[in-house]
Structure formats: C-alpha cells, structure tokens
Amino acid sequence: MAGASDKARFYLEQSVPELQELERKRVFSRAEITSITKKRSDFEHKLNARGSYPSDYARYAEYEMNLESLRRKRSSRLGVKSNGHAGQRRIYFVLDRATRKFHGDVGLWMQYLDYARKQKAFKKMSQILTSVLRLHPTKPELWIYAANYAMAEQGDMTEARSYMQRGLRFCNRSKELWIEYARLEMLYTAKIAARRKILGLDEIRQKREHSATDDPNADHIALPLITADDINPNLRLGNTVDQVVLENLSSTPALSGAIPIAVFSAAMEVFPEGQFGERFFNMFAGFENLPFLGNILDHISSHLLELAPKSSHAWCCRIRQPLIGVNPFSPSFPSALRAAFGRLKSSIDAVPLIAFERDIPNPRLALTQYIINWLFPYLEIPDLDANLRMVVMAMLRKTFEQYQLACQAKGEDYSDEVADTILEAQGRAGYRHPAALVSWAKQVWPLKSGLQAIE
C-alpha cells in the first residue's frame, strides 16, 4: 500500500503550482483548494491501489472536467488570466492512464474521444483513433465514429471512406456499418449538390439545354448569350473557379448516385435479405432533395423484387417509391399517387397469404399493416384536394379488405389486433371503413364495445 501512496502523493505534488496560482488570483478560495486536494487525493489512492475499476477513472475524469469548466467560468467572470492548459493536460493524463490499464473498455475510449473532440484537439484525436482502432478492429461503432469525425470535423471524405472500407474488411458481417457507409456517401453527395446550387451551376446547365432545344420553326431568332468574358477575355484570368470543370461534374458517376448504389449492391451480396434492403431504402428515402434519388430508389426496389418477388419488404418499397420526395400540393402528385395505387394492386396478387418468409409468418398481413400506417398521414393533411383524398380512401379500403383476408388466413393464431386497428383508424381525417369489413369485425369481436358502436 506504501507504493500506491507514494504514487498518489507524486501525482498530487505536480498540481501544487497550479492550485497556488488559482488561490493567488482568487479564482478558488483556500477552503475550496483544500476540498479539491482532498478529492484528488481520494481518487488517486483509489486508482493506484489494487482493485480499481473503469468507473473509478471515469468518475475522476468527469470530476476534473467539471472543475475545469468551473475554473473557466470564474476566470471569465473575474477577468483574470489563468493557465488553462494545466487542466486539459490533467484530464488527458487521467484518461490516458484509464485506457492504458483498461484498454478493453470501449466506454473509456469513447469518453476520451468525446473530450478531445470537444476541445478540438485534432492531433490528439488522430492519436486516440489510431490506438483504439488498432486494439478494437472488430467494433463497427468505432469505425463509424472515426468516419463521421473525419467527414464532419475535418471535411476529409477520402479519410472517411478509408475508415469505412477498412472497417468493412474487419466487420464484413456488420449490417449497421454497411448502412452507415451508404449514408456517408449520400451526405457527401448532398453537400456537393448543395454547393452546385449555391454556385448556380444547375441553372446554367438548364439554360443551355433549353437554348439547345429551341424550336427551329419558331417565328423568332434566338440570339446567342454574350457574357462579359466574351467581350473581355482578360476578366477570366482573375476568376479562380473553372466553370467548365464545375459544369462537367454533373456527368460524373458520383453525382448520379453510382457510389451509394455500388455500396448497396455489395451489401446485398453479403446479406441477400429483403428486410435489410428495406433498411437501405428507408435510409435513402430521407434524402428527398437529391435530384438522383429516384434512380437509387428505383434500383433498390427493382433489385429487391428480383431477389424475392413475393417478399412483403420488396413490395413495401415498390409501392412507396413513386411518392417519396413528391409534395402533396405539386402537379406531379396525382400521377405519382396513381402509380403507387397501380403497384398496390400488383402487390396483392404477388404477395401470398400463406407464410413463405422465415421472419414473417403472414406476408400479406405485414404488407397491409405497413400500407395502412403509411397512407393515413396523407388523409391528415388539412388542405389536401378532395379528389386526391377520395383516391387515398379508395386505396385504404382496398388495403383493409386484404387485411381482413390475411387475418382470416392466419386462423386461430390471430388476436384482436384487427379490431384495435379499426378502432384506431375510425374517425381519423373523416375515414370510414367498408361496411363488409365492419360487419365482419363485429361478428368476430362481439365484446368490443367501441367496435360495436361503429355504424
């Protein structure tokens, strides 16, 4: 125990000059300095003794972080300058000791990373990431963290891709890592698309395409566009942005969604599952403003149907695809709704009533439940056109009819989940169920008072 006491005293003596300076500048009072010293002494004796735990290091680091935050606030309020590097150095020292002793505890490494990231210690972050990834190469969450850090903080997509690809070599069976890799590529492409919009490159390209397709039989002559660069070519010398190169970027595979599609295809070779493909579809659907989103979603839904033509997951994606990213008040919404309705009819014939998917005992029941939950938010749009509302209601009625058949095919195993669904849906946005469905439900569940009250 004498060795532990000697170590604790040695570490405490190193902080004496810092505490004396804080007391002299009246950032902390003598009583507070005594309390800080006692607290640090308790932590040091616990850490240097046998039987210490990772939680002891975590509490010590948290205490030092809170103390450093208090020091900064008081120094700012009193208008005094104090050495802030000593506090950071002490926190790094505690966390470094923790990760050296308990290098298998990922929680300590994450605390170390989060603190260094908040302090914008980029060199320190690089060192920590190198160490933790060398020790834990099979932890997919660490590779995801490293890639997101490289993309968000450093703006280095090459480094982020490197982290993801190295992670997939070690964690090829991690579904989350595949999803996050595709998300990273979509985020990067979305940033490029936003920058192109700010620079006006898309508008320039659209104007050129429009001028190139002018009617030659029109009764007017379209004059060529003349810019200041055409009049005085010397002005182009001071322009550091090569517009021709930027405009040619629109034809690159990166801006047509080729990279996310390649990631999806590689992931489906490892996991040829409809449910996993639907996760990709839902993730991609969140990027509604990307111009090439339709191509990606169409590729995914087509691939899933080729993989499993009778899968409820594949048909859920196929039905939703025309309406993703379409504003309900835009002129293209009616045609998109009509396309979705047509795919819904096709799905009824394709998805069987009997179980064929291992994870779904009744595919059509799962499909109809999903479609019902997906359609109701459209009815709750307050200013939706009356004709469009009627189309959505017709889709719901047809889906509920198939929902009834699916539940009947399920036999005695199904509970009163249909009755609960009907009661929950009844009265939402003025929707009324088909009379045959309500009559059948009343006969199956005569004790449901709310169900019996439906007319």
Side-chain angles (χ1 to χ4, degrees):
M1 191 65 185
S5 299
D6 292 340
K7 286 183 179 180
R9 183 175 301 170
F10 172 75
Y11 292 139
L12 290 172
E13 288 176 352
Q14 292 180 335
S15 64
V16 170
E18 174 199 358
L19 294 176
Q20 289 176 344
E21 179 186 1
L22 293 174
E23 183 182 3
R24 185 174 64 256
K25 294 181 178 180
R26 299 185 179 181
V27 177
F28 293 120
S29 64
R30 178 173 291 275
E32 289 173 330
I33 294 294
T34 303
S35 176
I36 293 171
T37 304
K38 184 178 183 305
K39 194 74 174 177
R40 284 178 174 174
S41 176
D42 294 340
F43 277 122
E44 289 294 346
H45 280 84
K46 188 177 295 185
L47 265 53
N48 289 285
R50 292 182 179 180
S52 60
Y53 297 97
S55 57
D56 298 329
Y57 285 91
R59 283 196 297 267
Y60 190 12
E62 185 178 0
Y63 170 77
E64 290 293 342
M65 292 177 191
N66 294 334
L67 183 63
E68 177 63 14
S69 176
L70 178 61
R71 183 201 63 77
R72 289 181 179 179
K73 290 180 180 180
R74 287 194 179 180
S75 299
S76 177
R77 189 183 65 212
L78 297 173
V80 298
K81 292 183 180 181
S82 58
N83 186 10
H85 299 291
Q88 289 185 16
R89 187 166 57 247
R90 188 170 191 84
I91 296 171
Y92 286 138
F93 180 60
V94 173
L95 291 172
D96 186 64
R97 290 162 60 192
T99 52
R100 285 178 182 274
K101 186 171 184 178
F102 299 100
H103 50 78
D105 194 296
V106 179
L108 285 176
W109 284 106
M110 293 305 299
Q111 187 180 13
Y112 200 178
L113 287 168
D114 290 339
Y115 179 73
R117 188 171 184 175
K118 289 179 181 178
Q119 302 302 315
K120 300 186 183 298
F122 301 130
K123 186 176 180 180
K124 192 71 174 178
M125 277 290 297
S126 178
Q127 296 173 355
I128 301 171
L129 285 173
T130 302
S131 300
V132 68
L133 292 175
R134 186 181 293 122
L135 290 169
H136 300 281
T138 58
K139 300 288 185 181
E141 61 271 17
L142 294 176
W143 293 106
I144 295 172
Y145 183 94
N148 290 334
Y149 167 76
M151 180 65 180
E153 301 293 340
Q154 302 290 331
D156 190 348
M157 185 59 187
T158 303
E159 185 72 11
R161 280 199 186 110
S162 175
Y163 279 127
M164 284 295 187
Q165 292 168 3
R166 287 162 54 197
L168 287 172
R169 286 201 294 268
F170 289 101
C171 313
N172 187 257
R173 304 295 300 179
S174 172
K175 294 182 178 180
E176 194 66 27
L177 190 58
W178 282 108
I179 295 287
E180 292 301 321
Y181 185 20
R183 191 195 308 276
L184 183 73
E185 293 291 349
M186 291 294 286
L187 288 171
Y188 179 64
T189 312
K191 286 186 176 182
I192 295 178
R195 290 178 182 178
R196 288 180 57 84
K197 186 176 181 180
I198 292 173
L199 294 173
L201 299 179
D202 294 333
E203 297 178 1
I204 295 174
R205 181 171 56 84
Q206 291 173 1
K207 288 180 180 179
R208 291 189 176 181
E209 291 176 355
H210 179 72
S211 61
T213 57
D214 284 342
D215 186 6
N217 299 322
D219 56 355
H220 67 276
I221 299 175
L223 297 176
L225 296 175
I226 299 177
T227 63
D229 292 339
D230 298 324
I231 299 174
N232 187 3
N234 293 328
L235 294 176
R236 192 174 299 175
L237 298 176
N239 188 4
T240 58
V241 180
D242 192 338
Q243 296 291 336
V244 177
V245 174
L246 290 176
E247 291 174 30
N248 290 337
L249 286 175
S250 59
S251 61
T252 59
L255 290 182
S256 61
I259 297 179
I261 289 176
V263 175
F264 166 77
S265 301
M268 293 305 294
E269 291 180 1
V270 181
F271 300 100
E273 304 170 2
Q275 189 174 8
F276 184 50
E278 188 180 7
R279 289 183 62 188
F280 269 97
F281 186 92
N282 294 332
M283 184 273 294
F284 286 134
F287 297 86
E288 296 182 350
N289 297 325
L290 289 181
F292 55 83
L293 179 62
N295 297 334
I296 296 179
L297 297 182
D298 185 68
H299 174 82
I300 293 176
S301 60
S302 300
H303 180 85
L304 293 179
L305 284 179
E306 292 177 3
L307 181 67
K310 299 180 180 180
S311 171
S312 60
H313 297 292
W315 278 104
C316 284
C317 298
R318 192 65 177 171
I319 294 169
R320 289 174 51 206
Q321 190 253 326
L323 290 174
I324 291 178
V326 180
N327 192 318
F329 301 101
S330 65
S332 59
F333 184 75
S335 60
L337 187 62
R338 182 168 57 251
F341 200 1
R343 295 182 180 187
L344 175 62
K345 293 179 181 178
S346 302
S347 70
I348 293 173
D349 299 329
V351 179
L353 288 170
I354 60 174
F356 94 100
E357 293 178 286
R358 290 180 299 175
D359 56 337
I360 300 180
N362 192 322
R364 192 178 297 183
L365 179 63
L367 174 67
T368 51
Q369 284 177 330
Y370 187 90
I371 297 302
I372 288 169
N373 294 329
W374 171 63
L375 285 175
F376 264 116
Y378 286 102
L379 287 181
E380 295 173 346
I381 299 175
D383 299 328
L384 186 66
D385 183 78
N387 295 325
L388 296 178
R389 188 181 297 274
M390 290 177 61
V391 174
V392 176
M393 286 186 175
M395 293 177 68
L396 271 170
R397 290 191 181 94
K398 190 171 187 64
T399 307
F400 263 112
E401 291 172 0
Q402 296 301 318
Y403 190 45
Q404 175 186 350
L405 294 176
C407 287
Q408 289 174 336
K410 197 175 180 182
E412 298 179 356
D413 294 333
Y414 73 95
S415 61
D416 57 353
E417 55 188 1
V418 180
D420 294 334
T421 303
I422 294 174
L423 289 175
E424 180 183 358
Q426 183 67 20
R428 287 182 66 175
Y431 177 76
R432 294 295 180 269
H433 295 285
L437 174 64
V438 176
S439 176
W440 166 79
K442 287 181 178 181
Q443 294 176 5
V444 177
W445 298 282
L447 300 180
K448 287 280 184 178
S449 58
L451 188 61
Q452 299 299 324
I454 299 177
E455 298 181 357

